[in-house]
Amino acid sequence: MTPEGITFNSKEVKPNYIFVAIKGTQFDGHDFVEEALQRGALKVYVERDVGIQDERIVKVENTRKILGELASKFFSDPSKQLKVIGITGTNGKTTTTHIIEVILNTAGIDTALMGTVYYRFKQKIYQLESRTTPDPITWHSTLREMLQDGAKAVVAEVSSHALDQYRVWGTEFHTVGFTNLTQDHLDYHKTMEEYFQAKLKLFTEYPYQYAVINADDDYGKRIAQALGKRAITYGKQGDFKIVDFRTGFDGSYLKVSFEGKYYEFYSNLIGEFQAYNLSLGIFVGFLMGVSQASIQEALQNIYVPGRFQVVKGKGFLVVVDYAHTPDALEKVLLTAKKLKRNKLICVFGAGGNRDRTKRPLMGKVAQAHADLVILTSDNPRFEEPMDIIKDILEGMEKNDSVLIEEDRKKAIELALSLAKEGDIVLIAGKGHEDYQEIRGVKYPFQDIQVVKEFLHV
């Protein structure tokens, strides 16, 4: 009998549905097998004995993997009919996926995007849950919907959580790409090695045609070594080699070489770190058969919400960026530092109920590169904002270069009111987010909106 639906939530089971028991952090689906059977499940997949004798129960080694495989089949294997490009890494995923999306669409390859900011195809925004990579059923059903809407390719951010939990299992990729690995998500992965092993799965456990790896990143070198000839590298030490890169407030210039040929590109994107995002994006374009001329056309019009997003004030510049790790914050500070003519003011906080160990590191980095740091709240969640700020202060020298304003709106306004001719104000941590999460409630809030309202632009 053909199943009429698939779910891992026993409450959603209807007659002729497949139920897959998943052990989560809060609930274990194995505790709800009896309910699923009573609701008329066609089959129930488990990975341990549940003490029930029923021919509909099928025991497997890994129910997360089974869920991905079943979801893919249920939605007629959409990834086999699309060119799916998966990008993973700590920093640069959002920018790189946007670059690839614009390159492919400019070349006439209708491309959808699945990422942190939104899931979209042309003018359509798909309403999904907030996390970067959804559950396997939503993932495969969205791929199917995008295919039906006319997409020929999909470029997606693939998070470490998703890889660890096999949320994209059952996917066939055209290209998988690696940006870099720096400290983040250690509240979940516990160690950098566990974090790395989760990322590595995309390159060792999934089918794909091409693997494009950052050769200048230490973890990238490990992936390339593990893959051997299957890996194509990019970077200053890569096969797709960065020969020259220059950046300013008018944009960036990139010169690369590959297989004995040199290519030059100009982009509206700003920042030293863009050398890698652009290189990865351009090379994926080449792998998809896009011409240099078409790529160049695309690179003039890259817009990534909340990623080094610039607003001009009266004689000074404001930059809103999503940087929320020590490495990302340092990179964006270094870029802003090179572009400033006077002082660099940095406003940031850190997310609550997340990796606490990165907080003092971010404080140290901010104080090392900014002339003035204003510490504030980010998404405090269920922590007290002042407790988070105290953790950040542990990495800082307490002096006149550090101010504290818990209220994020007031902190941004304070920075803008202090800005003088030639200054740069960097507002880091939340980027594109349009909310602030406090005690389980998401209140409407957007850094860029606060800036524009204050500056009347």
Side-chain angles (χ1 to χ4, degrees):
M1 187 183 287
T2 306
E4 292 178 29
I6 180 170
T7 183
F8 55 92
N9 182 347
S10 60
K11 298 283 184 287
E12 294 176 357
V13 175
K14 295 175 184 175
N16 298 323
Y17 265 51
I18 290 175
F19 173 69
V20 183
I22 301 290
K23 189 181 188 308
T25 51
Q26 292 179 310
F27 300 102
D28 186 346
H30 292 81
D31 297 335
F32 302 95
V33 167
E34 190 171 353
E35 181 186 0
L37 291 169
Q38 288 172 354
R39 285 174 170 267
L42 183 67
K43 271 188 183 178
V44 172
Y45 288 86
V46 298
E47 58 184 26
R48 63 173 173 81
D49 183 30
V50 290
I52 301 169
Q53 296 299 316
D54 193 300
E55 59 185 15
R56 291 174 289 171
I57 296 175
V58 181
K59 193 176 179 183
V60 295
E61 191 177 327
N62 188 320
T63 51
R64 288 186 181 275
K65 284 186 174 182
I66 283 293
L67 181 61
E69 290 167 16
L70 291 171
S72 179
K73 284 177 186 171
F74 185 79
F75 294 105
S76 305
D77 297 314
S79 67
K80 291 180 181 178
Q81 300 160 69
L82 290 159
K83 303 281 190 192
V84 182
I85 299 149
I87 305 296
T88 197
T90 307
N91 304 313
K93 294 190 298 296
T94 299
T95 300
T96 303
T97 52
H98 276 75
I99 291 169
I100 294 167
E101 179 203 27
V102 175
I103 286 173
L104 298 185
N105 278 318
T106 301
I109 303 167
D110 289 339
T111 303
L113 183 145
M114 300 172 80
T116 308
V117 184
Y118 36 52
Y119 287 53
R120 75 175 180 195
F121 178 56
K122 296 185 177 178
Q123 303 307 312
K124 180 176 179 179
I125 301 291
Y126 300 78
Q127 299 301 321
L128 299 176
E129 57 192 284
S130 59
R131 65 178 146 204
T132 303
T133 319
D135 65 80
I137 298 168
T138 307
W139 168 265
H140 289 287
S141 67
T142 305
L143 287 178
R144 165 54 52 187
E145 191 176 349
M146 288 172 166
L147 180 64
Q148 288 171 337
D149 288 340
K152 298 291 185 287
V154 174
V155 57
E157 294 180 48
V158 184
S159 68
S160 58
H161 294 69
L163 290 165
D164 189 56
Q165 297 168 13
Y166 295 100
R167 289 192 220 146
V168 295
W169 195 254
T171 306
E172 223 171 79
F173 291 93
H174 176 273
T175 300
V176 287
F178 176 78
T179 60
N180 51 63
L181 198 78
T182 61
Q183 184 173 334
D184 199 12
H185 304 304
L186 295 193
D187 53 308
Y188 177 86
H189 295 289
K190 307 307 176 194
T191 66
M192 282 298 291
E193 186 58 28
E194 279 184 34
Y195 184 27
F196 170 67
Q197 290 299 328
K199 295 286 190 189
L200 185 62
K201 287 179 181 181
L202 183 61
F203 305 93
T204 57
E205 297 187 15
Y206 288 79
Y208 55 80
Q209 205 169 333
Y210 301 105
V212 187
I213 314 296
N214 182 352
D216 297 346
D217 181 87
D218 288 341
Y219 289 99
K221 287 172 187 167
R222 285 179 63 184
I223 296 173
Q225 198 171 8
L227 299 185
K229 291 180 180 178
R230 294 176 71 203
I232 312 168
T233 58
Y234 69 97
K236 292 172 184 174
Q237 305 171 55
D239 303 316
F240 191 76
K241 189 174 184 179
I242 298 170
V243 178
D244 190 15
F245 183 78
R246 294 169 222 162
T247 188
F249 261 110
D250 294 327
S252 299
Y253 162 79
L254 172 69
K255 185 178 183 180
V256 291
S257 68
F258 182 64
E259 296 181 339
K261 291 183 180 179
Y262 289 89
Y263 304 88
E264 291 180 309
F265 298 96
Y266 296 87
S267 172
N268 65 306
L269 292 178
I270 299 164
E272 296 287 341
F273 48 89
Q274 301 293 7
Y276 291 92
N277 298 332
L278 286 165
S279 295
L280 176 51
I282 290 165
F283 194 55
V284 170
F286 279 174
L287 292 174
M288 291 286 287
V290 182
S291 69
Q292 182 183 355
S294 185
I295 291 173
Q296 179 52 69
E297 183 189 343
L299 296 183
Q300 302 296 328
N301 303 296
I302 310 291
Y303 168 67
V304 190
R307 289 350 185 242
F308 214 87
Q309 191 171 348
V310 178
V311 180
K312 290 183 180 179
K314 291 177 182 176
F316 62 90
L317 290 162
V318 184
V319 176
V320 174
D321 196 274
Y322 189 53
H324 61 281
T325 68
D327 180 71
L329 185 59
E330 183 169 45
K331 282 176 178 168
V332 78
L333 280 163
L334 285 170
T335 291
K337 199 174 179 180
K338 286 181 182 177
L339 299 167
K340 70 167 185 164
R341 294 195 310 277
N342 191 15
K343 290 184 177 180
L344 173 56
I345 302 169
C346 178
V347 180
F348 84 101
N353 304 107
R354 297 292 186 268
D355 179 12
R356 288 183 62 181
T357 63
K358 71 179 182 182
R359 295 172 186 173
L361 300 176
M362 291 174 73
K364 187 177 181 181
V365 159
Q367 193 166 43
H369 300 296
D371 298 290
L372 175 65
V373 178
I374 302 175
L375 296 179
T376 188
S377 61
D378 189 293
N379 290 319
R381 298 186 176 89
F382 290 95
E383 283 192 70
E384 289 298 325
M386 205 56 222
D387 290 340
I388 298 170
I389 290 169
K390 283 175 184 174
D391 285 344
I392 297 170
L393 283 167
E394 284 180 18
M396 307 176 81
E397 296 288 328
K398 292 177 185 175
N399 56 35
D400 295 343
S401 71
V402 184
L403 301 177
I404 296 168
E405 174 51 72
E406 279 186 57
D407 186 298
R408 191 172 181 91
K409 184 174 186 286
K410 288 180 181 176
I412 292 169
E413 290 172 344
L414 173 62
L416 297 174
S417 68
L418 293 172
K420 302 279 195 300
E421 181 87 25
D423 286 354
I424 292 179
V425 177
L426 170 64
I427 302 162
K430 289 178 58 58
H432 65 281
E433 291 180 350
D434 58 3
Y435 63 86
Q436 189 171 26
E437 189 176 343
I438 303 167
R439 302 216 165 271
V441 180
K442 288 185 176 180
Y443 296 93
F445 188 93
Q446 202 166 14
D447 288 350
I448 201 84
Q449 188 181 340
V450 175
V451 172
K452 287 179 176 179
E453 284 175 1
F454 186 88
L455 298 176
H456 304 291
V457 296

